[in-house]
Amino acid sequence: MLNNQIKIRISNGPATAMGPGKAELLALINDYGSISAAAKQMKMSYRRAWQLVDEVNKCFDQPLVASSVGGSHGGGAKLTEFGVKVLENYHALIAKSQEASVQELAFIRAHLKSPIESIN
């Protein structure tokens, strides 16, 4: 992944319905079958991951993540069929945006200074 690649955030009112971080979290939930495991991979608290999942689920007309409460066999989470479709479409949107803007990105990247740690 390039440091200065296009990042797309899709807003729904004041909330971000989908963005790079939420897409990564959803992909990890899909891979690991667990919000907790996905959060650990992202070095994020379980609480924060759960908040992001809740926000994503509230932004769409159908849930993207289905979770089950722990018990003797433990809980888990997985993307719904709709969640998989949203994530696929988000990744396609990023890819198409990258492809459509090759010349413009090349020009802008050619004029960037070396990466900086922080702008304050």
Side-chain angles (χ1 to χ4, degrees):
M1 191 185 262
L2 298 170
N3 289 337
N4 52 7
Q5 82 174 50
I6 291 176
K7 293 183 181 181
I8 295 177
R9 284 178 176 72
I10 301 168
S11 298
N12 183 15
T16 299
M18 185 61 64
K22 288 179 179 173
E24 181 181 0
L25 179 62
L26 293 178
L28 289 169
I29 289 169
N30 198 41
D31 290 346
Y32 288 93
S34 162
I35 295 172
S36 177
K40 285 179 187 172
Q41 289 297 311
M42 294 182 73
K43 296 178 175 45
M44 173 188 300
S45 73
Y46 172 78
R47 182 177 186 277
R48 179 66 181 141
W50 205 98
Q51 288 172 334
L52 293 173
V53 167
D54 187 50
E55 184 174 49
V56 165
N57 278 343
K58 287 178 178 175
C59 282
F60 289 89
D61 62 0
Q62 300 174 51
L64 278 65
V65 177
S67 58
S68 57
V69 179
S72 60
H73 299 316
K78 64 178 184 173
L79 293 189
T80 62
E81 197 173 311
F82 178 69
V84 170
K85 193 73 171 164
V86 168
L87 191 57
E88 287 172 350
N89 277 268
Y90 179 76
H91 286 140
L93 174 64
I94 299 292
K96 287 178 181 179
S97 297
Q98 291 282 141
E99 290 172 21
S101 60
V102 170
Q103 289 179 318
E104 295 82 359
L105 281 172
F107 175 82
I108 292 169
R109 286 180 177 146
H111 295 281
L112 290 174
K113 291 183 177 182
S114 297
I116 55 178
E117 293 298 315
S118 174
I119 299 176
N120 287 345

